[in-house]
Amino acid sequence: MIDQLTRIEQEAREALAAAGDAESLEGWRVAYLGRKGRLTALLRSLTELPLEERRAAGGAANRLKNDLEAALAVRREELEGRRLVAIETGRLDVTLPGRAKSVGRLHPVTQTLRDVLAAFVSMGFSVVEGPEVESDYYNFEALRITKDHPARDTMDTLYVDITHDGEYDVVMRTHTSPNQVRVMEKTQPPIRVVVPGRCYRNEATDPTHEWMQTQVEVLAVDEGIGMADLKGTLFQFAKRIFGQDRKVRFRCDYFPFVEPGAEMAIDCSICKGAGCRTCGGEGWIEILGAGMVHPEILANMGYDAQRYTGFAAGMGIERICMLRYGIEDIRLFYADDLRFLKQF
Ligand code: DAH
């Protein structure tokens, strides 16, 4: 009897290893474990044996039955796994690694910020950072935005509650431009830097204004730098981020810390330039201010302003992100609305 069991087990295991699909597995189950299968037949025939022998053989036969059932389950799982891989790849590749679980992705603004920095790094710029809480000096004064200057109104500020001589002295930075001064103070030309950072303003919000924004400041100081370098660099950047087909508008603007000053806009991706709520009917969305670093600032830094010139630009990353993905309201980015973020 035990010999018979050993033979059945051997045969059964060989046949199981040879069964390559669901159909042959079922045939195998019927042949060995089914009601008319070999093991069942053997178990039935046990009744003819004397009690002592029947117990021993019965135990062994039941153990074998359990073992074969377990082996069947393992084989079934193995074949199912291979079948799924084969379906997905059109062929069987047993060396495939396990499939990684998807755990989410970068926020679209973070992705855009990284792409913008990468565009400038590829043109030879380095990335540096500066403080989010600034002194009035760096945020305004050193950039020729004096206390009574009207430009202060366009950057209504969030003050930090620390006073100095009875005046608010510390602000949440309203732009990344103070880093122009911070970098020039401790570096000699040639300079090529980009400075990313969050900026804050006491804004009445609208589709293109939020009270917090991410900016990237660009600064290049060297001998012989001119407007052509400014324009060439910024156009190259725009092509890389927006593609060849988008329109770029470049025109004069005023900022106290540059001379001459300019602004750059991209045709609105919501209305394709026709005018809509997002672009305020303009057809264009301004993404950056720029200009030649004011010679007075160069001189204040101790540079020879005859020898060195520079250009600077400051851009809004949320707006760039809006234009890239066709998002109609800047306030959606930080509205904690996961349905909005899920589309990315
Ligand atoms: N800092 C300005 C703003 O936030 C933008 C800007 C304008 C930056 C001109 C510059 C520049 O570097 O040259 O509105």
Side-chain angles (χ1 to χ4, degrees):
M1 182 62 70
I2 299 295
D3 277 357
Q4 237 172 310
L5 281 174
T6 316
R7 216 176 319 124
I8 292 179
E9 172 162 18
Q10 207 178 347
E11 272 179 43
R13 290 199 184 273
E14 274 168 23
L16 187 61
D21 55 34
E23 210 177 313
S24 38
L25 272 191
E26 181 57 13
W28 181 91
R29 192 192 63 77
V30 171
Y32 289 95
L33 301 169
R35 261 191 297 133
K36 291 180 185 154
R38 297 192 40 196
L39 203 53
T40 320
L42 192 89
L43 278 165
R44 284 220 185 91
S45 70
L46 289 180
T47 49
E48 292 150 26
L49 291 176
L51 184 67
E52 200 71 356
E53 245 180 275
R54 198 196 300 167
R55 270 218 195 106
N62 274 320
R63 238 173 289 128
L64 178 57
K65 189 168 178 239
N66 289 339
D67 286 354
L68 291 182
E69 271 164 3
L72 174 65
V74 168
R75 182 75 180 140
R76 194 173 270 152
E77 217 161 277
E78 197 176 289
L79 289 179
E80 180 61 10
R82 281 204 211 159
R83 194 178 68 86
L84 292 180
V85 171
I87 287 171
E88 270 175 27
T89 61
R91 72 199 161 87
L92 186 69
D93 182 354
V94 291
T95 66
L96 278 180
R99 257 161 275 155
K101 287 223 165 67
S102 150
V103 290
R105 52 155 301 158
L106 294 176
H107 190 284
V109 172
T110 308
Q111 185 61 58
T112 301
L113 174 61
R114 290 190 185 184
D115 295 342
V116 167
L117 293 177
F120 282 98
V121 166
S122 80
M123 292 189 273
F125 288 77
S126 316
V127 181
V128 297
E129 286 184 290
E132 215 162 328
V133 177
E134 264 299 5
S135 67
D136 185 281
Y137 171 75
Y138 283 109
N139 198 82
F140 296 119
E141 215 67 39
L143 292 167
R144 307 180 70 251
I145 311 171
T146 48
K147 289 246 180 325
D148 54 0
H149 199 290
R152 286 219 179 188
D153 291 346
T154 66
M155 291 191 195
D156 198 1
T157 312
L158 297 169
Y159 287 93
V160 177
D161 204 0
I162 301 171
T163 49
H164 201 252
D165 295 335
E167 291 222 36
Y168 284 103
D169 215 14
V170 179
V171 300
M172 301 302 289
R173 69 176 162 204
T174 59
H175 51 179
T176 44
S177 300
N179 294 294
Q180 293 183 27
V181 178
R182 286 184 174 277
V183 168
M184 286 191 281
E185 266 179 356
K186 42 177 200 265
T187 328
Q188 286 301 308
I191 293 172
R192 306 273 188 283
V193 292
V194 275
V195 192
R198 291 189 162 176
C199 306
Y200 304 84
R201 288 182 198 181
N202 183 16
E203 259 330 325
T205 70
D206 68 29
T208 53
H209 293 86
E210 178 62 293
W211 60 268
M212 191 278 284
Q213 62 163 324
T214 313
Q215 286 195 347
V216 168
E217 193 75 14
V218 184
L219 176 69
V221 185
D222 208 338
E223 283 179 48
I225 287 201
M227 274 301 264
D229 300 296
L230 180 160
K231 207 174 161 185
T233 307
L234 295 179
F235 271 55
Q236 188 56 39
F237 144 78
K239 287 264 167 297
R240 174 150 169 175
I241 294 295
F242 299 108
Q244 298 291 328
D245 301 335
R246 303 305 297 280
K247 289 194 203 114
V248 181
R249 187 186 71 183
F250 195 75
R251 62 183 195 181
C252 292
D253 201 348
Y254 171 75
F255 301 95
F257 41 97
V258 286
E259 182 57 38
E263 57 125 269
M264 199 163 108
I266 305 292
D267 60 325
C268 176
S269 60
I270 302 294
C271 61
K272 305 280 176 282
C276 67
R277 197 183 73 96
T278 300
C279 58
E282 290 271 320
W284 298 93
I285 293 185
E286 198 186 314
I287 59 161
L288 62 82
M292 300 305 294
V293 179
H294 201 290
E296 193 180 292
I297 295 178
L298 293 172
N300 286 345
M301 297 298 117
Y303 294 173
D304 177 352
Q306 298 297 318
R307 183 170 169 205
Y308 293 114
T309 47
F311 74 77
M315 62 187 74
I317 299 301
E318 283 79 4
R319 291 206 186 166
I320 292 172
C321 189
M322 288 173 75
L323 285 160
R324 270 181 124 188
Y325 297 115
I327 291 156
E328 73 265 24
D329 198 312
I330 202 167
R331 293 166 291 193
L332 285 166
F333 285 127
Y334 305 119
D336 270 353
D337 183 346
L338 291 179
R339 273 166 312 168
F340 166 72
L341 288 176
K342 268 190 185 145
Q343 67 184 291
F344 292 95

